[in-house]
Amino acid sequence: MKRKFSVIVSSILVLLSLTTFSDTYNLTQVVDAKIKTVIKYDKAPLKKAKSIEAENKETEQHIRKLDQKIKKLRLKLKKYSGAHAVESVSEQKLASLSYSGQDVITVNNNDPNFTQADLTTSHGAWQKYGNLDSLNRVTAANALLNKSLMPTAQREPLTINPTGWHNKRIASGWLYNRCHLIGYQLTGQNNNWKNLMTGTRQLNDPDMLRYEDEVADYIKESSSNYVRYRVTPVFRGNELLARGVEMEAQSVGSNTVHFNVYIFNVQPGVKLNYADGTSRVG
């Protein structure tokens, strides 16, 4: 089984070395599929073996090593994707940007704009949501995330319709999602007007979810892990549908989690009217 995992990892690393930045999204899907293969055919039997032979330390050690390799592989993919993204931009330019085929771009060289005071844990974990603006649009959501904020109850259905909500079915399913600025898995906030915006399915999942999962994985590891987090919707003028979102995260006391990215609010094959959220397929 160890040899099987090594072969899979080697094949993924070859893909990383040969793939250009324009193939990053497809590469992400390939890597995720490879990881699922590893978990299904390598890790599952080992977990079963662990339950049958609880005293088998070698099995336990192999499971831990397998977990570490999977995490390192995902981190390597993230670094690769960031390194091959288009040129980094400043926050001041975000609202004026037009989508040109790259869903995610880095902002300020991928460095989040948090001061040392922003990173203090002296008050424990917290979350704050900006008031709606004069057009009832969401504003920035901030938090110092920790395992203590994560929900224990199952999420209830969303009922709020944010600005720009003109949903409809397209070939791939529903066009829009009610997107949490700070994901439910991180704080348990759900039907909160100040934490929901109209976003395409692509914006919500996989694009935002990829970064939310990275944060969630880190804070789950230890109750002493904290991440300063901010998500800012970016509107142009008086438009009701956001052009995109800026996501910033910084783990306290380390650079394990460290990013500042802008994700375009777009959907393949659909032309969006950002003034009101209506759309046209094709």
Side-chain angles (χ1 to χ4, degrees), residues 91-92 94-95 107 113-114 128-130 137-143 179-182 194-197 203 208 212 228-236 242-249 259-265:
E91 287 181 328
Q92 291 74 23
L94 294 181
V107 181
N113 290 317
F114 296 127
K128 295 179 181 178
Y129 302 90
R137 302 178 302 188
V138 288
T139 55
N142 283 267
C179 294
H180 294 78
L181 297 182
I182 299 180
K194 299 178 181 180
N195 192 41
L196 290 172
M197 60 169 277
L203 171 74
M208 290 183 71
E212 291 168 358
R228 183 66 169 86
Y229 195 66
R230 176 166 56 219
V231 181
T232 307
V234 176
F235 295 90
R236 184 183 296 177
R243 293 278 174 163
V245 293
E246 181 185 9
M247 301 180 71
E248 302 170 81
F259 59 78
N260 186 354
V261 297
Y262 178 70
I263 306 176
F264 286 93
N265 191 13

Short mmCIF file of all heavy atoms in Angstrom, two decimals, residues 91-92 94-95 107 113-114 128-130 137-143 179-182 194-197 203 208 212 228-236 242-249 259-265:
data_model
loop_
_atom_site.label_atom_id
_atom_site.label_comp_id
_atom_site.label_asym_id
_atom_site.label_seq_id
_atom_site.Cartn_x
_atom_site.Cartn_y
_atom_site.Cartn_z
N GLU A 91 -5.42 46.36 -4.13
CA GLU A 91 -6.82 46.38 -3.73
C GLU A 91 -7.59 47.50 -4.42
O GLU A 91 -8.76 47.36 -4.73
CB GLU A 91 -6.92 46.55 -2.22
CG GLU A 91 -6.54 45.32 -1.43
CD GLU A 91 -6.67 45.54 0.05
OE1 GLU A 91 -6.47 46.68 0.50
OE2 GLU A 91 -6.97 44.56 0.77
N GLN A 92 -6.91 48.63 -4.65
CA GLN A 92 -7.57 49.79 -5.23
C GLN A 92 -8.09 49.53 -6.65
O GLN A 92 -9.01 50.20 -7.12
CB GLN A 92 -6.60 50.98 -5.25
CG GLN A 92 -6.26 51.56 -3.88
CD GLN A 92 -5.32 50.66 -3.08
OE1 GLN A 92 -4.59 49.86 -3.67
NE2 GLN A 92 -5.34 50.78 -1.76
N LEU A 94 -9.36 46.58 -7.80
CA LEU A 94 -10.24 45.42 -7.93
C LEU A 94 -11.57 45.74 -8.62
O LEU A 94 -12.02 44.99 -9.48
CB LEU A 94 -10.49 44.80 -6.55
CG LEU A 94 -9.26 44.19 -5.87
CD1 LEU A 94 -9.64 43.58 -4.52
CD2 LEU A 94 -8.60 43.14 -6.75
N ALA A 95 -12.22 46.81 -8.22
CA ALA A 95 -13.54 47.12 -8.77
C ALA A 95 -13.49 47.41 -10.27
O ALA A 95 -14.49 47.22 -10.98
CB ALA A 95 -14.15 48.31 -8.04
N VAL A 107 -3.69 39.32 -4.77
CA VAL A 107 -3.76 40.74 -4.45
C VAL A 107 -2.57 41.10 -3.55
O VAL A 107 -2.25 40.36 -2.62
CB VAL A 107 -5.08 41.08 -3.71
CG1 VAL A 107 -5.17 42.57 -3.40
CG2 VAL A 107 -6.28 40.63 -4.55
N ASN A 113 -3.61 42.19 4.33
CA ASN A 113 -3.35 43.51 4.93
C ASN A 113 -3.79 43.55 6.38
O ASN A 113 -4.73 44.27 6.76
CB ASN A 113 -4.05 44.61 4.14
CG ASN A 113 -3.41 44.83 2.78
OD1 ASN A 113 -2.18 44.85 2.66
ND2 ASN A 113 -4.22 44.96 1.75
N PHE A 114 -3.11 42.79 7.23
CA PHE A 114 -3.40 42.80 8.65
C PHE A 114 -2.20 43.36 9.41
O PHE A 114 -1.05 43.04 9.10
CB PHE A 114 -3.69 41.38 9.16
CG PHE A 114 -4.92 40.75 8.57
CD1 PHE A 114 -4.85 39.50 7.97
CD2 PHE A 114 -6.14 41.39 8.61
CE1 PHE A 114 -5.97 38.89 7.42
CE2 PHE A 114 -7.28 40.81 8.06
CZ PHE A 114 -7.19 39.56 7.46
N LYS A 128 -17.18 39.67 13.25
CA LYS A 128 -17.90 40.93 13.08
C LYS A 128 -18.31 41.08 11.62
O LYS A 128 -17.53 40.82 10.72
CB LYS A 128 -17.01 42.12 13.49
CG LYS A 128 -16.64 42.15 14.96
CD LYS A 128 -15.75 43.33 15.28
CE LYS A 128 -15.36 43.35 16.75
NZ LYS A 128 -14.44 44.48 17.07
N TYR A 129 -19.55 41.56 11.43
CA TYR A 129 -20.08 41.71 10.08
C TYR A 129 -20.48 43.17 9.85
O TYR A 129 -21.22 43.75 10.65
CB TYR A 129 -21.28 40.78 9.88
CG TYR A 129 -20.90 39.33 10.10
CD1 TYR A 129 -21.00 38.76 11.38
CD2 TYR A 129 -20.39 38.56 9.08
CE1 TYR A 129 -20.61 37.44 11.60
CE2 TYR A 129 -20.00 37.25 9.29
CZ TYR A 129 -20.11 36.69 10.55
OH TYR A 129 -19.70 35.40 10.78
N GLY A 130 -19.99 43.75 8.76
CA GLY A 130 -20.28 45.15 8.47
C GLY A 130 -21.75 45.36 8.17
O GLY A 130 -22.45 44.46 7.69
N ARG A 137 -26.48 46.42 0.17
CA ARG A 137 -25.44 45.48 -0.22
C ARG A 137 -24.57 45.13 0.98
O ARG A 137 -24.34 45.96 1.86
CB ARG A 137 -24.57 46.07 -1.33
CG ARG A 137 -25.35 46.46 -2.57
CD ARG A 137 -24.46 47.09 -3.63
NE ARG A 137 -23.76 48.28 -3.14
CZ ARG A 137 -23.04 49.09 -3.91
NH1 ARG A 137 -22.91 48.82 -5.22
NH2 ARG A 137 -22.44 50.14 -3.40
N VAL A 138 -24.06 43.89 0.99
CA VAL A 138 -23.18 43.47 2.07
C VAL A 138 -21.85 44.20 1.99
O VAL A 138 -21.41 44.61 0.92
CB VAL A 138 -22.93 41.95 2.05
CG1 VAL A 138 -24.15 41.20 2.49
CG2 VAL A 138 -22.46 41.49 0.67
N THR A 139 -21.23 44.34 3.14
CA THR A 139 -19.89 44.94 3.22
C THR A 139 -18.96 43.89 3.84
O THR A 139 -19.32 42.73 3.95
CB THR A 139 -19.92 46.23 4.03
OG1 THR A 139 -20.50 45.98 5.32
CG2 THR A 139 -20.76 47.30 3.33
N ALA A 140 -17.77 44.29 4.25
CA ALA A 140 -16.76 43.34 4.69
C ALA A 140 -17.15 42.58 5.95
O ALA A 140 -17.81 43.10 6.85
CB ALA A 140 -15.44 44.07 4.93
N ALA A 141 -16.74 41.31 6.00
CA ALA A 141 -16.91 40.46 7.18
C ALA A 141 -15.53 40.12 7.72
O ALA A 141 -14.64 39.72 6.97
CB ALA A 141 -17.66 39.19 6.82
N ASN A 142 -15.34 40.29 9.03
CA ASN A 142 -14.05 40.06 9.68
C ASN A 142 -14.19 39.03 10.80
O ASN A 142 -15.24 38.92 11.43
CB ASN A 142 -13.52 41.36 10.29
CG ASN A 142 -12.93 42.29 9.25
OD1 ASN A 142 -11.74 42.27 8.99
ND2 ASN A 142 -13.78 43.14 8.67
N ALA A 143 -13.11 38.31 11.08
CA ALA A 143 -13.14 37.35 12.17
C ALA A 143 -11.73 36.96 12.60
O ALA A 143 -10.78 37.07 11.82
CB ALA A 143 -13.90 36.09 11.77
N CYS A 179 -24.18 33.09 -1.19
CA CYS A 179 -22.80 32.86 -0.76
C CYS A 179 -22.54 33.49 0.61
O CYS A 179 -22.77 34.69 0.80
CB CYS A 179 -21.81 33.44 -1.77
SG CYS A 179 -21.82 32.63 -3.36
N HIS A 180 -22.05 32.68 1.54
CA HIS A 180 -21.59 33.23 2.81
C HIS A 180 -20.26 33.95 2.59
O HIS A 180 -19.38 33.42 1.92
CB HIS A 180 -21.35 32.11 3.83
CG HIS A 180 -22.58 31.39 4.26
ND1 HIS A 180 -23.19 30.41 3.48
CD2 HIS A 180 -23.31 31.47 5.39
CE1 HIS A 180 -24.24 29.95 4.13
NE2 HIS A 180 -24.34 30.57 5.29
N LEU A 181 -20.13 35.13 3.14
CA LEU A 181 -18.81 35.77 3.12
C LEU A 181 -17.85 34.94 3.96
O LEU A 181 -16.79 34.53 3.51
CB LEU A 181 -18.90 37.21 3.63
CG LEU A 181 -19.76 38.18 2.81
CD1 LEU A 181 -19.72 39.57 3.41
CD2 LEU A 181 -19.34 38.20 1.35
N ILE A 182 -18.23 34.70 5.21
CA ILE A 182 -17.48 33.77 6.06
C ILE A 182 -18.28 32.47 6.09
O ILE A 182 -19.41 32.43 6.56
CB ILE A 182 -17.28 34.32 7.47
CG1 ILE A 182 -16.47 35.63 7.41
CG2 ILE A 182 -16.57 33.30 8.35
CD1 ILE A 182 -16.20 36.26 8.76
N LYS A 194 -26.06 40.21 6.84
CA LYS A 194 -24.75 40.86 6.72
C LYS A 194 -23.65 39.90 6.26
O LYS A 194 -22.50 40.31 6.10
CB LYS A 194 -24.35 41.47 8.07
CG LYS A 194 -25.31 42.55 8.56
CD LYS A 194 -24.87 43.07 9.92
CE LYS A 194 -25.83 44.15 10.44
NZ LYS A 194 -25.39 44.67 11.77
N ASN A 195 -24.02 38.63 6.08
CA ASN A 195 -23.01 37.64 5.71
C ASN A 195 -23.36 36.88 4.43
O ASN A 195 -22.75 35.87 4.12
CB ASN A 195 -22.82 36.64 6.86
CG ASN A 195 -21.60 35.77 6.68
OD1 ASN A 195 -20.53 36.21 6.26
ND2 ASN A 195 -21.73 34.48 7.00
N LEU A 196 -24.35 37.36 3.68
CA LEU A 196 -24.77 36.66 2.47
C LEU A 196 -24.80 37.59 1.27
O LEU A 196 -25.27 38.73 1.36
CB LEU A 196 -26.16 36.06 2.66
CG LEU A 196 -26.27 34.87 3.61
CD1 LEU A 196 -27.74 34.51 3.84
CD2 LEU A 196 -25.52 33.66 3.08
N MET A 197 -24.28 37.11 0.16
CA MET A 197 -24.31 37.86 -1.09
C MET A 197 -24.70 36.92 -2.23
O MET A 197 -24.64 35.70 -2.10
CB MET A 197 -22.94 38.46 -1.39
CG MET A 197 -21.83 37.45 -1.52
SD MET A 197 -20.28 38.13 -2.18
CE MET A 197 -20.64 38.07 -3.95
N LEU A 203 -18.26 30.72 -8.22
CA LEU A 203 -17.64 31.52 -7.18
C LEU A 203 -17.70 30.80 -5.84
O LEU A 203 -16.70 30.71 -5.11
CB LEU A 203 -18.35 32.87 -7.06
CG LEU A 203 -17.93 33.74 -5.86
CD1 LEU A 203 -16.56 34.34 -6.09
CD2 LEU A 203 -18.96 34.82 -5.58
N MET A 208 -14.38 29.76 -3.80
CA MET A 208 -14.26 30.20 -2.42
C MET A 208 -14.05 29.02 -1.47
O MET A 208 -13.29 29.11 -0.51
CB MET A 208 -15.51 30.99 -2.00
CG MET A 208 -15.64 32.35 -2.65
SD MET A 208 -17.09 33.29 -2.04
CE MET A 208 -16.56 33.69 -0.36
N GLU A 212 -11.70 28.31 1.94
CA GLU A 212 -12.37 28.07 3.22
C GLU A 212 -11.94 26.73 3.82
O GLU A 212 -11.72 26.62 5.03
CB GLU A 212 -13.89 28.09 3.02
CG GLU A 212 -14.44 29.47 2.68
CD GLU A 212 -15.88 29.41 2.21
OE1 GLU A 212 -16.43 28.30 2.11
OE2 GLU A 212 -16.46 30.48 1.91
N ARG A 228 -6.67 34.97 11.39
CA ARG A 228 -7.33 36.26 11.13
C ARG A 228 -7.86 36.21 9.71
O ARG A 228 -7.15 35.85 8.77
CB ARG A 228 -6.32 37.40 11.30
CG ARG A 228 -6.92 38.79 11.12
CD ARG A 228 -7.94 39.13 12.21
NE ARG A 228 -8.31 40.54 12.15
CZ ARG A 228 -9.27 41.03 11.37
NH1 ARG A 228 -9.96 40.23 10.57
NH2 ARG A 228 -9.53 42.32 11.38
N TYR A 229 -9.12 36.59 9.54
CA TYR A 229 -9.83 36.32 8.29
C TYR A 229 -10.69 37.51 7.91
O TYR A 229 -11.33 38.14 8.76
CB TYR A 229 -10.70 35.08 8.49
CG TYR A 229 -11.25 34.42 7.27
CD1 TYR A 229 -10.42 33.80 6.34
CD2 TYR A 229 -12.63 34.36 7.06
CE1 TYR A 229 -10.95 33.13 5.24
CE2 TYR A 229 -13.17 33.70 5.96
CZ TYR A 229 -12.32 33.08 5.05
OH TYR A 229 -12.85 32.43 3.97
N ARG A 230 -10.70 37.82 6.62
CA ARG A 230 -11.56 38.92 6.14
C ARG A 230 -12.00 38.60 4.71
O ARG A 230 -11.19 38.22 3.87
CB ARG A 230 -10.82 40.25 6.17
CG ARG A 230 -11.63 41.44 5.59
CD ARG A 230 -11.02 42.78 5.94
NE ARG A 230 -9.64 42.89 5.53
CZ ARG A 230 -8.69 43.49 6.27
NH1 ARG A 230 -8.99 44.02 7.43
NH2 ARG A 230 -7.45 43.56 5.82
N VAL A 231 -13.29 38.80 4.45
CA VAL A 231 -13.84 38.64 3.11
C VAL A 231 -14.59 39.91 2.75
O VAL A 231 -15.49 40.34 3.48
CB VAL A 231 -14.78 37.42 3.01
CG1 VAL A 231 -15.31 37.28 1.58
CG2 VAL A 231 -14.04 36.14 3.42
N THR A 232 -14.21 40.51 1.62
CA THR A 232 -14.77 41.80 1.21
C THR A 232 -15.41 41.68 -0.16
O THR A 232 -14.72 41.39 -1.15
CB THR A 232 -13.68 42.88 1.15
OG1 THR A 232 -12.97 42.91 2.40
CG2 THR A 232 -14.28 44.24 0.87
N PRO A 233 -16.73 41.87 -0.28
CA PRO A 233 -17.36 41.88 -1.60
C PRO A 233 -16.96 43.15 -2.34
O PRO A 233 -16.85 44.23 -1.72
CB PRO A 233 -18.86 41.86 -1.28
CG PRO A 233 -18.96 42.48 0.09
CD PRO A 233 -17.69 42.12 0.81
N VAL A 234 -16.75 43.05 -3.62
CA VAL A 234 -16.32 44.21 -4.42
C VAL A 234 -17.39 44.53 -5.45
O VAL A 234 -17.67 43.73 -6.35
CB VAL A 234 -14.96 43.91 -5.11
CG1 VAL A 234 -14.55 45.08 -6.01
CG2 VAL A 234 -13.88 43.64 -4.06
N PHE A 235 -18.00 45.71 -5.30
CA PHE A 235 -19.02 46.19 -6.22
C PHE A 235 -18.43 47.33 -7.07
O PHE A 235 -17.54 48.05 -6.62
CB PHE A 235 -20.24 46.71 -5.46
CG PHE A 235 -20.98 45.66 -4.69
CD1 PHE A 235 -20.65 45.38 -3.37
CD2 PHE A 235 -22.03 44.96 -5.28
CE1 PHE A 235 -21.34 44.41 -2.65
CE2 PHE A 235 -22.73 43.99 -4.56
CZ PHE A 235 -22.38 43.72 -3.24
N ARG A 236 -18.97 47.49 -8.25
CA ARG A 236 -18.58 48.62 -9.11
C ARG A 236 -19.73 49.63 -9.14
O ARG A 236 -20.84 49.30 -9.56
CB ARG A 236 -18.26 48.14 -10.52
CG ARG A 236 -17.75 49.24 -11.45
CD ARG A 236 -17.51 48.72 -12.86
NE ARG A 236 -16.45 47.71 -12.89
CZ ARG A 236 -16.09 47.06 -14.01
NH1 ARG A 236 -16.74 47.30 -15.15
NH2 ARG A 236 -15.11 46.16 -13.96
N ALA A 242 -22.15 41.80 -7.00
CA ALA A 242 -20.72 42.02 -6.80
C ALA A 242 -19.92 41.50 -7.99
O ALA A 242 -20.25 40.48 -8.58
CB ALA A 242 -20.26 41.33 -5.52
N ARG A 243 -18.86 42.21 -8.32
CA ARG A 243 -17.95 41.77 -9.38
C ARG A 243 -17.08 40.61 -8.90
O ARG A 243 -16.56 39.83 -9.70
CB ARG A 243 -17.07 42.93 -9.82
CG ARG A 243 -17.83 44.05 -10.52
CD ARG A 243 -18.05 43.72 -11.97
NE ARG A 243 -18.89 44.71 -12.64
CZ ARG A 243 -18.96 44.84 -13.96
NH1 ARG A 243 -18.24 44.06 -14.74
NH2 ARG A 243 -19.77 45.72 -14.51
N GLY A 244 -16.89 40.53 -7.59
CA GLY A 244 -16.08 39.47 -7.03
C GLY A 244 -15.91 39.65 -5.54
O GLY A 244 -16.55 40.50 -4.92
N VAL A 245 -15.03 38.84 -4.93
CA VAL A 245 -14.73 38.96 -3.51
C VAL A 245 -13.23 38.89 -3.29
O VAL A 245 -12.53 38.14 -3.98
CB VAL A 245 -15.42 37.84 -2.67
CG1 VAL A 245 -16.92 38.00 -2.67
CG2 VAL A 245 -15.02 36.47 -3.16
N GLU A 246 -12.76 39.66 -2.32
CA GLU A 246 -11.38 39.55 -1.87
C GLU A 246 -11.37 38.72 -0.60
O GLU A 246 -12.15 38.98 0.33
CB GLU A 246 -10.78 40.93 -1.60
CG GLU A 246 -9.32 40.85 -1.16
CD GLU A 246 -8.74 42.20 -0.76
OE1 GLU A 246 -9.51 43.18 -0.66
OE2 GLU A 246 -7.52 42.27 -0.55
N MET A 247 -10.50 37.72 -0.54
CA MET A 247 -10.38 36.86 0.63
C MET A 247 -8.97 36.97 1.19
O MET A 247 -7.99 36.76 0.46
CB MET A 247 -10.69 35.40 0.27
CG MET A 247 -12.07 35.18 -0.29
SD MET A 247 -12.39 33.41 -0.72
CE MET A 247 -12.50 32.69 0.93
N GLU A 248 -8.88 37.30 2.49
CA GLU A 248 -7.59 37.43 3.15
C GLU A 248 -7.55 36.54 4.38
O GLU A 248 -8.53 36.46 5.12
CB GLU A 248 -7.35 38.88 3.60
CG GLU A 248 -7.38 39.91 2.49
CD GLU A 248 -7.38 41.31 3.05
OE1 GLU A 248 -6.29 41.81 3.39
OE2 GLU A 248 -8.47 41.91 3.16
N ALA A 249 -6.43 35.88 4.59
CA ALA A 249 -6.29 35.02 5.77
C ALA A 249 -4.83 34.96 6.21
O ALA A 249 -3.93 34.94 5.38
CB ALA A 249 -6.80 33.62 5.48
N PHE A 259 -2.85 34.07 2.66
CA PHE A 259 -3.25 34.39 1.29
C PHE A 259 -4.05 35.69 1.24
O PHE A 259 -4.66 36.12 2.22
CB PHE A 259 -4.04 33.25 0.64
CG PHE A 259 -5.32 32.85 1.33
CD1 PHE A 259 -6.48 33.60 1.21
CD2 PHE A 259 -5.38 31.68 2.10
CE1 PHE A 259 -7.67 33.21 1.83
CE2 PHE A 259 -6.56 31.28 2.72
CZ PHE A 259 -7.69 32.04 2.58
N ASN A 260 -4.03 36.30 0.07
CA ASN A 260 -4.85 37.46 -0.25
C ASN A 260 -5.19 37.32 -1.73
O ASN A 260 -4.36 37.55 -2.61
CB ASN A 260 -4.10 38.76 0.00
CG ASN A 260 -4.98 39.99 -0.19
OD1 ASN A 260 -6.13 39.89 -0.62
ND2 ASN A 260 -4.43 41.16 0.12
N VAL A 261 -6.42 36.90 -2.01
CA VAL A 261 -6.82 36.61 -3.38
C VAL A 261 -8.12 37.32 -3.73
O VAL A 261 -8.92 37.68 -2.86
CB VAL A 261 -7.00 35.09 -3.60
CG1 VAL A 261 -5.68 34.36 -3.41
CG2 VAL A 261 -8.08 34.51 -2.68
N TYR A 262 -8.29 37.53 -5.02
CA TYR A 262 -9.55 38.09 -5.54
C TYR A 262 -10.16 37.05 -6.47
O TYR A 262 -9.48 36.51 -7.35
CB TYR A 262 -9.28 39.38 -6.31
CG TYR A 262 -10.53 39.99 -6.91
CD1 TYR A 262 -11.51 40.57 -6.10
CD2 TYR A 262 -10.74 39.99 -8.29
CE1 TYR A 262 -12.65 41.14 -6.65
CE2 TYR A 262 -11.87 40.55 -8.85
CZ TYR A 262 -12.83 41.13 -8.03
OH TYR A 262 -13.96 41.68 -8.58
N ILE A 263 -11.45 36.76 -6.25
CA ILE A 263 -12.15 35.76 -7.05
C ILE A 263 -13.28 36.44 -7.81
O ILE A 263 -14.13 37.11 -7.22
CB ILE A 263 -12.72 34.65 -6.16
CG1 ILE A 263 -11.62 34.04 -5.29
CG2 ILE A 263 -13.37 33.57 -7.02
CD1 ILE A 263 -12.11 32.99 -4.31
N PHE A 264 -13.28 36.28 -9.12
CA PHE A 264 -14.30 36.90 -9.95
C PHE A 264 -15.64 36.17 -9.80
O PHE A 264 -15.70 34.95 -9.73
CB PHE A 264 -13.88 36.86 -11.43
CG PHE A 264 -12.80 37.83 -11.79
CD1 PHE A 264 -11.47 37.44 -11.77
CD2 PHE A 264 -13.12 39.14 -12.15
CE1 PHE A 264 -10.47 38.34 -12.11
CE2 PHE A 264 -12.12 40.04 -12.49
CZ PHE A 264 -10.79 39.63 -12.47
N ASN A 265 -16.69 36.96 -9.76
CA ASN A 265 -18.05 36.44 -9.67
C ASN A 265 -18.57 36.22 -11.09
O ASN A 265 -19.25 37.07 -11.68
CB ASN A 265 -18.94 37.44 -8.92
CG ASN A 265 -20.29 36.85 -8.54
OD1 ASN A 265 -20.52 35.66 -8.62
ND2 ASN A 265 -21.21 37.71 -8.11
#
